[in-house]
Amino acid sequence: MKILRFLFFFCSFGATLMFQASLSLERNFFFFLFLTVEHGFPNQPSALAYDPQLQLMAIGTKSGAIKVYGAPGVEFTGLHKDTAAVTQIHFLSGQGRILSLLDDNSLHLWEIGGKEGHSYLEEVRSFSLPGRPGIESTSATRVTVLLLKLNLDLLCVGTEGGGVHFLQLPTFSLLDRSLFHDEVMQSAPEEYKCGKSLGPVEALQEHPQQAEKILIGYSRGLVVLWDLNTRHVDNLFLGKQQLESLVWERSGNTFVSSHSDGGYLVWTVNSSTPCTHQPTTSTIPYGPFPCKAVNKILWRTTETGAPLVLLSGGMPRASYGDRHCLTILQDSTHVTLDFTSRVIDFFTVHCIDQEKEYDDPTSLVVLLEEELVVIDLATPGWPTIPSPYLAPLHSSAITCSYHISNVPSKLWERIITAGQSQSDWPICGGRSVAPESKQKELLLTGHEDGTVRFWDASGVSLQPLYKLSTANIFQTDCDHNDSLTQAGEEEWPPFRKVGCFDPYSDDPRLGIQKICLCKYSGKLVVAGTAGQVIVMYLSDEKSDHMIDVATVDLLQDREGFTWKGHDRLPPKTGSVVFAPGFQPVVLVQCIPPAAVTAVTLHAEWNLIAFGTSHGFGLFDYHRRAPVLARCTLHPNDSLAMEGPLSRVKSLKKSLRQSFRRIRKSRVSGKKRAVISNPTSKVSSPQSLFSPVQEANAQLAEQDAEMAPVQRRIEARSADDSLSGVVRCLCFADTFLRDGTHHGPTMWAGTNSGSVYAYALEVPSQEKFSEQSVEAVLGKEIQLMHRAPVVSIAVLDGRGNPLPEPYEVSRDLAKAPDMQGSHSVLIASEEQFKVFMLPKVSAKTKFKLTAHEGCRVRKVALVTFTSVSSEEYCENGLVCLTNLGDIHVFSVPALRPQVRYDCIRKEDISGIASCVFTKTGQGFYLISPSEYERFSLSARVITEPLCQVDVDRLHDLTVLRYSKLSHCLHLQFEHNEVFSCVIKICSSKYLQARMKLGRGGWR
């Protein structure tokens, strides 16, 4: 009876909580933080595998991650519990199972399971090889090589001690029939023994025609054909050079071994000759000089006649020992693929039908340390195949990023046409079941080498669309690359540069700092490190024209300032040929040539605004004439004139000032409580950090008071270094002079907390060529604490952000409210403040630093759509702080909505690289080559939902969860409410188990 009372009370209490939670979610379910997918190339890859039946590829990393890829949109991610490097990966072909070996000598079995219509990757078993009795050293049982038998029921494990062990799959049962080198040495001739050990097992290969036989290769050079049934040595092949790898020829009559001297040997398997002393042929492709080891070799037969030989390494030590190469040999054709990063592994996509006579490879997939390269072996000349994903974002270091939502179809098609054409991708397993994106999204990345890359960010796969280079506008060392390439083609070896990873920039001044694109007019503004601002138009035709150059002096002849930094980039003289795509029409050069810190574009007014550490300028690119130049330097801004390389001189001064600020900014009162959000619509933030961090936060809450204490913020002095840096710029059609007449305006915010507002006289479209644009200073605002201004946005009478250029004139958006009073939202590093226009009187504010103890790093205005109704939206101000947390505020009331822990506060590069979208998503770099995508919107989520059909006899995942469900059903089948609670909890648990990866949702 007591048990029934307890169950009734528990179920009633749980049902009440669920009902209240459902009401709260239905009312306010706008926000939720999801870490959805990782874009780019995996950081520090260490292993590669391929399933020819399912057509899936797996990549392991040094951080212990396993990433599985198929057709575009088909992605899985798994993470080992221990942070250990993945040294080997093998597919159980056709079963959807993956075997991984870590550098801690542990084996792990993964399965692709299915739930709710999509697949996921989960670890189901692990195993560590026990030591051999009587041998204390653990190195003897350290795994060196794995071989999966074709029937997938047996795993052969080669070890450093020379032993071969056998495990039954998928249970990891160790069979009592291990093979040790002393048993093999009994069959070796006496002259070969000579007291030397055979060394570690370097290679294991199954006979392609006789499944009971395996080829065992030892480091010393001995190769053994071992019969598993009779436990007898069928053949011995006495190699004299250190062995690196083995590969069978398809018929099983011959095999090939590669060695440390840079050569490979072809051996004939003959049952009448149990001991073979000499190979059939011996080849050192780059001899006779000493060469590096051939790490791996593949031998593929072709119907055309000559076999295709692929080998990595083997280059001459003295002259090309530092090159990363893969050689392709076929008859008289010899190509040396020259990469810019180390070769990790490679495989071929070829025919696996046992009834076929030839391999006939169609593609070569090479995993490098910094990129993935795919070669088309079916096309003469062996060209590369562009990858629809896994593109190296860091081919040149990323310096800035820019996102465009809801790209018009016309612009989208023109960009795709200007970009490279896509070929058939050979890795096409699985299928994506994610709903197709309703709108197209572009992610633009600026790079250190002066390029801007356009990426399709509409879905899971970040696909490269178009690459724009600005280096051909200037006179740099890039012009000599063509002559060097032509000279290299006549050399031996016949090198061919392959891949796009090139971390070295010919000139650091080419680096892209800011990007701005008008998606309706196809006009692009790109600003660089040496003060160059380039205005470009999108053209579908090839062009040959001169580039207009204009100079804007931001110092305005101010005395006492001398630029000590780098020189400007000299532009090319004469006509320059430009391919279809974005073509420059005017180059604006800032003087001094400091890095551009802010840029904005208003294509409808034909105006661009740009700022540096010295001031800001306004330029009419239609008339090719400057409109305004304003110097923002303070008399003590000495660092602004020295450039980035000279700032080390003021290190002592900076440290001294920092310590002074620390002493001045002591917080009075008790320690502030770590409260997630006292006015949040959601009861608690979604934390994506470890349980240890959450426990520390709870402990801090217990020790602190519940009411937050405002921090006292010291005002910054006006003579702080770099106070004149322009941080943000914007255009707006609003009320500045009076409350009855609105017109074009330009706003600029600086590092010293100054805001400048200019009223612009912009002629009509018909009179652009006749009249010039005029700018008059209308307002000047100085923030009290002189905190750097991060963002400026003008709101209409309803508190909504103003539409983009051309949106109203082309009936693409509602016209802004021009009847009510406009306001301007100014976000500094310390607070958000709304001023009424045109009087610039303060309306409301939120002191973020005073309340939360953090500083603003990134700000964006976002439109959040309700989950229950697509028609209901709310505008929010999203901000990322220096602590890595994200805050959402209502607009224009600035009421806190939610707060989430998103990025580790130690990850400075991740915080600096973050970019928000207008629909509530975002990107930030988790490594030089990977973007983490996240979503703050509960409705707009881009995550990999895919399905892979597998056929296996023993499904470990389904078996475990079916037992769990059966147990729960037996216990609670008579209590519907309690059963409902259990099902919800278990489904949430399974969902977390499926999607929870490195630090967040997967």
Side-chain angles (χ1 to χ4, degrees):
M1 194 66 184
K2 291 182 179 180
I3 297 176
L4 292 177
R5 288 178 181 175
F6 171 75
L7 288 177
F8 179 77
F9 171 76
F10 183 82
C11 297
S12 302
F13 181 71
T16 304
L17 288 179
M18 290 176 58
F19 179 73
Q20 293 177 352
S22 63
L23 288 180
S24 176
L25 289 175
E26 185 177 353
R27 242 188 348 253
N28 300 317
F29 202 24
F30 283 94
F31 318 105
F32 201 86
L33 178 61
F34 300 89
L35 299 184
T36 56
V37 68
E38 295 171 359
H39 293 305
F41 185 76
N43 187 39
Q44 295 183 320
S46 55
L48 176 69
Y50 177 65
D51 188 334
Q53 293 189 31
L54 297 181
Q55 294 182 306
L56 297 176
M57 175 182 65
I59 295 177
T61 69
K62 291 183 179 180
S63 62
I66 292 181
K67 296 174 178 288
V68 182
Y69 302 92
V74 177
E75 294 186 16
F76 306 99
T77 299
L79 189 66
H80 292 89
K81 297 178 182 178
D82 298 326
T83 307
V86 181
T87 56
Q88 293 185 45
I89 307 180
H90 299 271
F91 272 101
L92 278 70
S93 186
Q95 291 190 5
R97 288 180 176 147
I98 301 174
L99 190 68
S100 62
L101 172 66
L102 305 186
D103 64 354
D104 63 1
N105 210 43
S106 61
L107 292 167
H108 302 261
L109 183 64
W110 299 76
E111 282 188 357
I112 298 177
K115 183 176 175 60
E116 298 179 355
H118 60 270
S119 303
Y120 62 94
L121 183 66
E122 186 181 28
E123 181 181 350
V124 293
R125 258 192 186 84
S126 62
F127 175 83
S128 294
L129 197 65
R132 184 179 178 185
I135 299 179
E136 297 181 358
S137 175
T138 57
S139 63
T141 57
R142 184 167 186 83
V143 179
T144 55
V145 63
L146 299 174
L147 169 64
L148 273 168
K149 296 279 291 177
L150 288 178
N151 53 13
L152 304 178
D153 61 349
L154 190 67
L155 174 66
C156 308
V157 181
T159 63
E160 195 169 317
V164 180
H165 306 274
F166 302 94
L167 300 176
Q168 188 176 5
L169 293 177
T171 59
F172 278 147
S173 301
L174 181 62
L175 303 180
D176 188 18
R177 58 187 208 185
S178 299
L179 171 65
F180 298 102
H181 64 84
D182 49 359
E183 189 175 352
V184 174
M185 287 296 287
Q186 295 176 3
S187 303
E190 292 296 329
E191 64 272 13
Y192 194 82
K193 297 178 181 179
C194 63
K196 293 183 180 181
S197 171
L198 294 179
V201 178
E202 292 290 343
L204 292 171
Q205 291 290 328
E206 181 179 0
H207 197 291
Q209 304 298 329
Q210 303 175 44
E212 71 279 2
K213 297 181 180 181
I214 61 173
L215 206 60
I216 307 173
Y218 295 91
S219 176
R220 182 178 164 187
L222 177 67
V223 181
V224 177
L225 184 60
W226 177 261
D227 194 313
L228 295 174
N229 294 337
T230 62
R231 293 188 60 84
H232 178 265
V233 175
D234 282 1
N235 294 87
L236 285 174
F237 305 91
L238 307 180
K240 299 178 182 179
Q241 290 290 336
Q242 180 178 329
L243 182 70
E244 296 291 331
S245 70
L246 293 173
V247 62
W248 279 104
E249 187 263 336
R250 189 180 181 91
S251 65
N253 297 325
T254 59
F255 70 88
V256 184
S257 62
S258 68
H259 298 270
S260 60
D261 63 346
Y264 64 89
L265 310 177
V266 179
W267 303 83
T268 301
V269 180
N270 192 342
S271 58
S272 60
T273 308
C275 185
T276 305
H277 292 265
Q278 296 294 330
T280 304
T281 59
S282 175
T283 307
I284 301 180
Y286 301 104
F289 302 105
C291 297
K292 300 191 73 174
V294 176
N295 303 314
K296 181 177 179 178
I297 188 168
L298 294 180
W299 184 285
R300 300 290 182 243
T301 57
T302 61
E303 193 173 1
T304 56
L308 193 72
V309 182
L310 307 104
L311 56 94
S312 62
M315 302 307 296
R317 286 185 178 274
S319 52
Y320 302 108
D322 58 342
R323 296 286 187 98
H324 310 290
C325 299
L326 190 148
T327 302
I328 306 179
L329 301 170
Q330 187 177 29
D331 202 7
S332 60
T333 306
H334 185 155
V335 174
T336 306
L337 303 179
D338 188 11
F339 305 105
T340 54
S341 59
R342 183 171 60 91
V343 177
I344 303 296
D345 202 354
F346 61 95
F347 65 83
T348 59
V349 178
H350 60 275
C351 176
I352 59 171
D353 189 352
Q354 295 292 329
E355 298 180 357
K356 299 293 183 180
E357 186 178 355
Y358 302 101
D359 295 314
D360 285 331
T362 57
S363 303
L364 167 65
V365 180
V366 187
L367 176 65
L368 305 168
E369 200 169 30
E370 303 293 349
E371 62 182 320
L372 183 80
V373 175
V374 181
I375 306 295
D376 186 358
L377 298 177
T379 302
W382 299 328
T384 58
I385 300 176
S387 173
Y389 49 76
L390 288 177
L393 301 174
H394 64 317
S395 53
S396 176
I398 296 177
T399 51
C400 65
S401 55
Y402 183 80
H403 184 272
I404 306 101
S405 302
N406 199 13
V407 179
S409 57
K410 183 177 180 181
L411 175 65
W412 186 267
E413 293 170 359
R414 295 178 69 187
I415 291 176
I416 291 179
T417 302
Q420 56 186 356
S421 59
Q422 295 292 327
S423 304
D424 292 334
W425 184 242
I427 303 166
C428 53
R431 64 184 182 276
S432 175
V433 295
E436 188 175 353
S437 177
K438 296 181 180 179
Q439 61 182 26
K440 297 294 185 181
E441 298 182 20
L442 275 176
L443 179 66
L444 277 61
T445 55
H447 297 262
E448 194 177 37
D449 62 353
T451 59
V452 178
R453 288 171 167 82
F454 291 67
W455 308 88
D456 179 4
S458 309
V460 174
S461 300
L462 193 67
Q463 182 176 347
L465 298 178
Y466 170 65
K467 175 183 173 182
L468 168 68
S469 177
T470 61
N472 59 343
I473 302 175
F474 306 99
Q475 299 178 14
T476 64
D477 296 334
C478 301
D479 304 330
H480 304 292
N481 289 344
D482 295 338
S483 60
L484 291 175
T485 304
Q486 293 176 0
E489 292 176 352
E490 302 174 358
E491 296 177 350
W492 175 262
F495 289 116
R496 180 200 292 177
K497 281 286 185 183
V498 180
C500 59
F501 177 73
D502 185 9
Y504 306 107
S505 174
D506 294 306
D507 196 325
R509 296 174 295 174
L510 289 170
I512 306 298
Q513 296 297 320
K514 297 294 176 181
I515 304 171
C516 190
L517 172 66
C518 176
K519 59 185 179 182
Y520 300 112
S521 63
K523 295 173 183 177
L524 173 69
V525 178
V526 176
T529 306
Q532 69 271 29
V533 181
I534 309 168
V535 182
M536 298 184 170
Y537 290 178
L538 181 58
S539 174
D540 300 327
E541 303 292 335
K542 182 179 179 181
S543 177
D544 183 359
H545 64 269
M546 293 183 62
I547 305 170
D548 293 332
V549 180
T551 302
V552 177
D553 185 6
L554 298 180
L555 291 181
Q556 293 293 292
D557 300 326
R558 183 173 292 197
E559 298 180 356
F561 291 93
T562 305
W563 173 247
K564 303 175 184 178
H566 49 249
D567 295 331
R568 57 185 287 187
L569 279 167
K572 288 184 177 178
T573 58
S575 297
V576 182
V577 178
F578 299 100
F582 285 96
Q583 300 172 355
V585 292
V586 60
L587 166 64
V588 182
Q589 180 63 55
C590 299
I591 300 297
V596 178
T597 56
V599 72
T600 187
L601 162 71
H602 201 295
E604 205 166 2
W605 299 341
N606 292 329
L607 295 176
I608 60 170
F610 46 86
T612 68
S613 55
H614 308 105
F616 57 88
L618 182 65
F619 188 83
D620 181 354
Y621 58 83
H622 182 79
R623 293 174 55 87
R624 310 292 199 271
V627 178
L628 168 70
R630 170 76 182 248
C631 181
T632 57
L633 284 180
H634 189 271
N636 293 332
D637 274 348
S638 58
L639 290 183
M641 306 309 296
E642 296 177 355
L645 299 181
S646 303
R647 296 179 185 175
V648 184
K649 300 177 183 177
S650 301
L651 179 60
K652 293 182 179 180
K653 180 181 178 182
S654 300
L655 290 175
R656 187 164 54 249
Q657 290 177 349
S658 300
F659 281 116
R660 284 175 181 171
R661 289 199 191 102
I662 292 174
R663 286 195 296 267
K664 288 181 181 180
S665 60
R666 300 294 184 184
V667 181
S668 60
K670 295 184 179 180
K671 182 179 179 182
R672 181 181 64 92
V674 183
I675 296 177
S676 61
N677 194 4
T679 60
S680 173
K681 290 185 178 180
V682 180
S683 59
S684 62
Q686 176 69 28
S687 176
L688 298 182
F689 294 148
S690 66
V692 177
Q693 290 175 315
E694 294 180 0
N696 291 338
Q698 293 175 1
L699 183 61
E701 288 181 3
Q702 296 174 4
D703 296 338
E705 292 182 349
M706 295 303 295
V709 179
Q710 287 196 8
R711 295 170 182 252
R712 185 163 56 93
I713 307 301
E714 294 292 332
R716 304 173 186 230
S717 62
D719 60 350
D720 279 355
S721 298
L722 299 175
S723 62
V725 175
V726 178
R727 295 288 296 271
C728 58
L729 294 160
C730 81
F731 289 108
D733 186 354
T734 186
F735 301 90
L736 187 61
R737 294 175 175 172
D738 54 61
T740 57
H741 301 88
H742 63 87
T745 61
M746 186 199 75
W747 300 72
T750 70
N751 229 23
S752 61
S754 300
V755 177
Y756 304 92
Y758 283 84
L760 307 179
E761 293 290 340
V762 179
S764 60
Q765 297 281 350
E766 298 79 12
K767 299 182 179 179
F768 267 137
S769 302
E770 302 174 4
Q771 300 179 4
S772 60
V773 179
E774 296 182 1
V776 179
L777 180 63
K779 304 289 182 182
E780 185 172 343
I781 307 171
Q782 179 62 59
L783 300 183
M784 183 182 300
H785 298 300
R786 299 183 179 273
V789 179
V790 179
S791 174
I792 301 174
V794 176
L795 309 176
D796 68 1
R798 297 188 184 94
N800 298 321
L802 297 181
E804 296 183 23
Y806 290 112
E807 283 190 338
V808 176
S809 61
R810 297 183 182 182
D811 296 329
L812 300 173
K814 292 182 179 180
D817 182 8
M818 292 296 182
Q819 303 301 322
S821 300
H822 282 202
S823 56
V824 57
L825 172 59
I826 299 177
S828 72
E829 284 191 359
E830 297 177 0
Q831 67 178 10
F832 310 113
K833 201 165 187 178
V834 176
F835 295 90
M836 299 302 297
L837 294 177
K839 295 183 179 180
V840 195
S841 57
K843 180 182 180 182
T844 183
K845 65 181 176 180
F846 184 86
K847 298 179 180 180
L848 184 68
T849 304
H851 285 285
E852 301 291 339
C854 53
R855 294 187 180 277
V856 177
R857 289 291 178 260
K858 301 285 182 177
V859 171
L861 286 172
V862 173
T863 301
F864 291 98
T865 305
S866 172
V867 174
S868 58
S869 175
E870 188 176 0
E871 297 179 357
Y872 183 71
C873 303
E874 283 188 6
N875 293 318
L877 177 68
V878 178
C879 103
L880 174 69
T881 71
N882 62 324
L883 301 182
D885 51 1
I886 293 179
H887 299 254
V888 180
F889 299 88
S890 63
V891 174
L894 296 181
R895 285 191 296 267
Q897 302 294 297
V898 289
R899 171 192 167 274
Y900 298 112
D901 296 323
C902 184
I903 310 175
R904 293 183 299 108
K905 63 181 180 180
E906 299 84 6
D907 189 2
I908 299 176
S909 62
I911 295 174
S913 63
C914 183
V915 57
F916 293 107
T917 75
K918 292 187 176 181
T919 58
Q921 299 190 80
F923 304 82
Y924 69 91
L925 289 173
I926 56 175
S927 72
S929 61
E930 288 176 293
Y931 269 117
E932 179 72 73
R933 186 173 189 147
F934 63 90
S935 177
L936 295 169
S937 171
R939 186 179 185 89
V940 183
I941 304 172
T942 303
E943 60 179 337
L945 297 177
C946 49
Q947 190 170 5
V948 175
D949 297 326
V950 297
D951 183 18
R952 52 177 174 255
L953 297 177
H954 309 287
D955 199 328
L956 304 181
T957 308
V958 174
L959 183 62
R960 285 195 303 162
Y961 291 135
S962 64
K963 288 182 179 179
L964 175 63
S965 302
H966 180 64
C967 178
L968 293 175
H969 179 70
L970 288 179
Q971 293 183 23
F972 307 114
E973 61 180 354
H974 298 295
N975 192 322
E976 295 181 1
V977 178
F978 194 75
S979 177
C980 177
V981 175
I982 291 296
K983 285 181 180 179
I984 291 177
C985 294
S986 62
S987 65
K988 291 296 181 184
Y989 167 76
L990 294 181
Q991 187 180 16
R993 286 277 295 168
M994 286 186 292
K995 294 186 177 180
L996 194 61
R998 184 172 58 195
W1001 291 89
R1002 294 289 176 266

